[in-house]
Amino acid sequence: MYDNLLEKVPTDLWIGGKWRKASDGQRFDVIDPATEGVIASVASASVDDAKAAVDAASDALAGWGAKKPRERAEILRKAFELIMRDAERFAKLITLENGKALVDSRAEVAYAAEFFRWYAEEAVRNLGQMSIAPSSGARILAQHKPAGVAVLVTPWNFPAAMATRKIGPALAAGCTVVLKPASDTPLTMLALMPALEEAGVPPGVCNVIPSRSSGKVVSAMLHDPRVRVVSFTGSTEVGRKLLHEAADNVVKPAMELGGNAPFIVFEDADIDAAIDGAMIAKMRNMGEACTAANRFYVQEKVHAEFSKKLTDRMAGLKMGNGLTEGVALGPLVNKEGRDKVRELVEDAVKKGARILTGGKQPEGKGYFYPATVLDNVSNDALMMNDEIFGPVAAIQTFKTEDEVIKRSNDTEYGLVAYLYTKDLTRGMRVSEKLDFGMIGLNRGVVSDPAAPFGGTKQSGIGREGGHEGMMEFLETQYISVSW
Ligand code: NAP
């Protein structure tokens, strides 16, 4: 099954438009989370390799930055087309290394490719501004230039989309990049590089260096004065470390970090629509998403109906190897992830939660955990404050609007919140009081390449997607002119 799929997948480092082994010969295994078997051995970049990648990105910078925006746009557009041409192969590869069901991987591939199409369209809209200085009458000319070499660090939960969400805007802006993918899922990005080459991305513009020594390798790059941007998606804990590292050379940071999303159901909501939304908000990517609904707050009057319908839907999901058609729930990415979910459920149950479905780790190979609904989860359960990152819905009830706003905001995170109500006035009023970067109002999914994705508080700094996403890779230059 693997051989065919992995036949043309490269496993070395992609630096300066060439495949090369790690300078110290190190490699590491990539594991199939459904079988726990090894699927590939990948080169592990050393600090010297990281330096070589920055050399390549730095050498390519002037040429790429000087290309006409239209040329960069057409290369990105071609990259979009090539991914879609090969969409099924990319989807299977994502499932193989990440575990998620094919249906999720197919959705991810389309989402990932769309960042190239969107930023092909944005590359030609790098707008500046001109105004007249009020006192001197000089002209204030402000324009945006490529910020320079960008280091991109991505997580395992969306091996394609979290990377294209950075590569797309960076290349559109005229930056060159060095990408370090997550060690659990390096294959998807390595497999993308031939497509980018075919699309016309010149050597050195996009480099990929998987590494088991992420801390050392990323730190070395952030201390290289040629690196001007670090764009990170991952945990808040690692994000904080990188912010400290970035401070040494005053490198511009963009941070997409953890979340703890509330999902609020008011008593006037369309409950069936709320269930559809809940299934996406909770189960997209099997709950392994920073945007995953973590805490369900259901108004008392509709609690019984909502929890029964959610339980029925969750119990109906088929669990199995994500490569099998019809499977909705694959394994979680690795043993640590699966064990963490199990421990969070045990903790909640110990503190009074009632299991409505699931809650029992299956025997046998693979990092599986079933779709689980817990009711009456207490406030001191760890899962109310920590990202579950798995297929577990935790339900609590609430009485009033003010109460649910307060409880929703009572977290260090501020990525996304969801709410369901048929009263749009209430929907807007509550949305504005929720301290989150994104709100799903009667929607269970907010991710869209054309929208500014990002969080408040400890969920991050900056935005990805939309017009804002390209600004992360641009520097504003102001020219004061007299004429
Ligand atoms: P992670 O442990 O923070 O790892 C993310 C990336 O950082 C990986 O490439 C990892 O490499 C690397 N890394 C780890 N330690 C590092 C260090 N000391 N210095 C430099 N790089 C380091 O996160 P994860 O477990 O992969 O992903 C899950 C987290 O990502 C969750 O918290 C989730 O909420 C967050 N996330 C956020 C968003 C968003 O847009 N806000 C989107 C998706 C995911 P290795 O794999 O080699 O360790």
Side-chain angles (χ1 to χ4, degrees), residues 264 266 299-300 397-407 426:
I264 304 167
F266 285 102
Q299 208 159 11
E300 284 179 342
T397 55
F398 71 92
K399 284 190 189 358
T400 67
E401 186 179 304
D402 284 347
E403 174 203 343
V404 81
I405 292 169
K406 192 159 174 289
R407 278 162 62 186
R426 166 190 262 170

Side-chain angles (χ1 to χ4, degrees), residues 194-351:
L196 292 194
E197 188 181 31
E198 187 183 339
V201 174
V205 169
C206 185
N207 307 278
V208 179
I209 54 163
S211 176
R212 258 294 172 209
S213 314
S214 359
K216 279 193 202 147
V217 156
V218 173
S219 176
M221 292 194 285
L222 295 188
H223 287 95
D224 186 317
R226 295 169 298 176
V227 169
R228 298 313 314 144
V229 179
V230 55
S231 178
F232 171 76
T233 298
S235 59
T236 297
E237 190 193 343
V238 174
R240 273 192 207 106
K241 275 190 204 153
L242 296 190
L243 280 170
H244 282 289
E245 303 249 20
D248 291 342
N249 265 349
V250 195
V251 174
K252 186 177 178 177
M255 297 276 141
E256 295 291 346
L257 310 176
N260 180 7
F263 188 104
I264 304 167
V265 184
F266 285 102
E267 60 191 19
D268 64 357
D270 175 336
I271 297 299
D272 290 328
I275 294 292
D276 287 342
M279 290 304 291
I280 302 174
K282 179 73 255 180
M283 295 306 289
R284 173 169 172 249
N285 232 36
M286 303 169 319
E288 291 177 315
C290 52
T291 50
N294 214 52
R295 306 170 274 158
F296 285 84
Y297 295 130
V298 185
Q299 208 159 11
E300 284 179 342
K301 204 168 142 196
V302 291
H303 166 248
E305 180 185 359
F306 181 86
S307 40
K308 160 119 191 36
K309 286 184 169 167
L310 184 66
T311 302
D312 290 348
R313 286 279 291 276
M314 291 282 272
L317 296 177
K318 187 172 168 201
M319 184 165 74
N321 188 319
L323 286 174
T324 310
E325 291 292 348
V327 160
L329 187 65
L332 297 179
V333 73
N334 56 30
K335 184 172 181 313
E336 295 75 49
R338 193 269 314 275
D339 290 353
K340 179 184 169 193
V341 172
R342 190 193 61 236
E343 285 159 16
L344 286 176
V345 171
E346 286 165 1
D347 167 77
V349 170
K350 223 181 279 165
K351 291 172 179 161

Side-chain angles (χ1 to χ4, degrees), residues 3 34 88 92 123 156-157 256 277 283 303 385 392 430 463:
D3 292 349
E88 192 61 12
K92 286 186 171 152
W156 48 261
N157 62 345
E256 295 291 346
M283 295 306 289
H303 166 248
N385 301 302
V392 178
V430 175
R463 293 293 180 268

